[in-house]
């Protein structure tokens, strides 16, 4: 509490000094000094948790206030946290081995057969050796249509909606794909995802990026930070908690970091579950956005390269039927160059940010969901025409 005393002291010295010039010490100065001292002491004893309280202390918000505190009032790292920090820093410092033939790994997370295999077949065709495919089918053994998918099923397990088993499946896909040192980038896709561009475009977009496309934003509302559990303390504070869609792209270093994580993973496994302590927390929406916000915030783009349309504001995003699909629809999606995130408080905030690729503003999306299987034929018809023009 030394700093508090010093502050209180300097506050008192000021009016004393003035006293020499002003014959009577004005009452308002005493009141002001008392008020300021009171707030400063309160700030130490009860560190501000919500943003409105932060503004009382500092117009720049909580972060600024905490940085201003002397370092000894910040907590010590836990043993697991220290180990995690060392590992993460080591992975980030070690660029992946340059291989002759860098590839992109396409990780498909699906209940069973993939309705768009024939479209992906058109997409992959002619680019053999520049990609690899992994399929995690959580319910039924898929029947494959395309040669690029045959024998690409990995050992799989059941996946429960909103459960940690979803994260386990993602880690299983990453683990399998990481065994091939040529795989430098990893994209997670679902059975309802389609490609929006031709292969070379996607390859160059991902191969030459220096960040991972992980969706992550701060939602202070009931579908965001209200799902946070204080059991996640001390390593995960409420202000670190983030939300985002699960459909990631990870560069190899980040994929290594994900499969090595045990600390943050176990916090989410134990305390982020539907119905846990009356909260509906979903690991797939919070684990990676929060994890990377803690370990490497500057290393993620904060948006996903897979487009989804939430503009109908329903529980599920818009799903496209055959009559919805047209050249114009794809043109509309591929020309979007800003991301929109909406928070869930009563007074919704809409956060719009430009999509920036290596310093240049570019369209955001390489893939899109959710498409019904009935759209396959029309998508195949327009895919080649369409991608020839973009
Ligand atoms: C992503 O968001 C984090 C905060 O969570 C921020 O520190 C980082 O700079 C953002 N990344 C980019 C590329 O803007
Ligand atoms: C990525 O590249 C951009 C532009 O060259 C640069 O501004 C940014 O700091 C880089 N980010 C990382 C994480 O290296
Ligand atoms: C695709 O392009 C060809 C040749 O330009 C054209 O004849 C055909 O109608 C186009 N198909 C669609 C679905 O736009």
């Amino acid at each position: 509490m030394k700093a508090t005393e010093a502050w209180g002291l300097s506050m008192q010295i000021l009016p004393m000094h003035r006293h020499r010039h002003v014959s009577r010490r004005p009452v308002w100065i005493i009141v002001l000094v008392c008020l300021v001292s009171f707030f400063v002491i309160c700030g130490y004893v009860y560190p501000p948790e919500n943003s409105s309280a932060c503004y009382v202390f500092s117009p720049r918000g909580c972060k600024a206030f905490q940085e201003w505190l002397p370092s000894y009032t910040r907590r010590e790292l836990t043993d697991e946290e220290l180990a995690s920090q060392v590992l993460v820093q080591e992975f980030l410092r070690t660029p992946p081995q340059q291989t002759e033939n860098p590839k992109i790994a396409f990780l498909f997370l699906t209940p069973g057969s993939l309705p768009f295999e024939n479209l992906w077949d058109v997409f992959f065709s002619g680019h053999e050796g520049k990609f690899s495919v992994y399929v995690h089918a959580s319910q039924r053994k898929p029947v494959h249509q395309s040669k690029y998918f045959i024998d690409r099923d990995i050992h799989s397990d059941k996946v429960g909606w909103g459960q940690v088993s979803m994260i386990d499946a993602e880690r299983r896909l990453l683990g399998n794909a990481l065994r091939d040192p040529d795989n430098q980038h990893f994209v997670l896709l679902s059975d309802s995802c389609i490609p929006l561009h031709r292969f070379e475009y996607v390859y160059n977009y991902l191969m030459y990026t220096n960040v991972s496309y992980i969706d992550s934003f701060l939602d202070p509302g009931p579908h965001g930070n209200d799902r946070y559990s204080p059991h996640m303390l001390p390593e995960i504070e409420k202000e670190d908690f983030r939300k985002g869609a699960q459909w990631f792209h990870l560069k190899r270093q980040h994929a290594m970091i994900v499969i090595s994580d045990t600390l943050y993973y176990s916090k989410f496994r134990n305390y982020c579950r539907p119905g846990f302590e009356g909260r509906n927390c979903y690991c797939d929406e919070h684990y990676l956005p929060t994890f990377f916000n803690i370990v490497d915030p500057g290393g993620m783009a904060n948006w996903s390269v897979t487009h989804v349309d939430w503009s109908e504001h329903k529980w599920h995003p818009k799903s496209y039927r055959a009559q919805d699909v047209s050249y114009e629809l794809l043109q509309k999606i591929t020309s979007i160059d800003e991301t929109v995130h909406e928070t869930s408080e009563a007074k919704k905030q809409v956060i719009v940010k430009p999509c920036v690729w290596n310093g240049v503003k570019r369209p955001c999306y390489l893939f899109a969901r959710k498409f019904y299987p009935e759209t396959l034929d029309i998508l195949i018809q327009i895919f080649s025409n369409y991608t020839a023009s973009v």
Side-chain angles (χ1 to χ4, degrees), residues 69-193:
L69 290 174
S71 59
Y72 58 79
T73 63
R74 290 186 209 139
R75 67 179 173 83
E76 293 283 336
L77 297 184
T78 63
D79 293 346
E80 291 94 337
E81 207 173 16
L82 178 64
S84 166
Q85 269 198 10
V86 169
L87 267 181
V88 167
Q89 291 314 316
E90 195 64 29
F91 282 128
L92 292 178
R93 256 200 305 271
T94 318
Q97 192 185 332
Q98 296 290 316
T99 61
E100 291 272 294
N101 184 30
K103 291 192 283 191
I104 297 190
F106 291 81
L107 317 177
F108 288 90
L109 190 57
T110 174
S113 294
L114 291 157
F116 295 110
E117 267 188 33
N118 287 336
L119 179 64
W120 288 104
D121 189 280
V122 176
F123 172 79
F124 287 134
S125 180
H127 305 286
E128 288 77 2
K130 296 199 145 179
F131 65 89
S132 40
V133 170
Y134 300 83
V135 180
H136 184 288
S138 56
Q139 288 172 21
R140 299 168 297 277
K141 193 169 164 41
V143 179
H144 294 300
Q145 309 281 326
S146 156
K147 62 173 183 289
Y148 302 118
F149 289 80
I150 289 171
D151 290 335
R152 303 308 302 169
D153 295 332
I154 65 162
H155 162 75
S156 305
D157 210 342
K158 294 261 173 296
V159 168
W161 186 72
Q163 310 277 335
V164 77
S165 51
M166 184 79 91
I167 308 296
D168 296 336
E170 294 176 4
R171 288 161 68 108
R172 212 172 281 131
L173 278 161
L174 284 173
N176 276 274
L178 279 163
R179 294 169 96 171
D180 181 347
D182 284 338
N183 286 330
Q184 299 290 315
H185 292 266
F186 303 81
V187 187
L188 183 71
L189 297 158
S190 80
D191 50 321
S192 73
C193 286

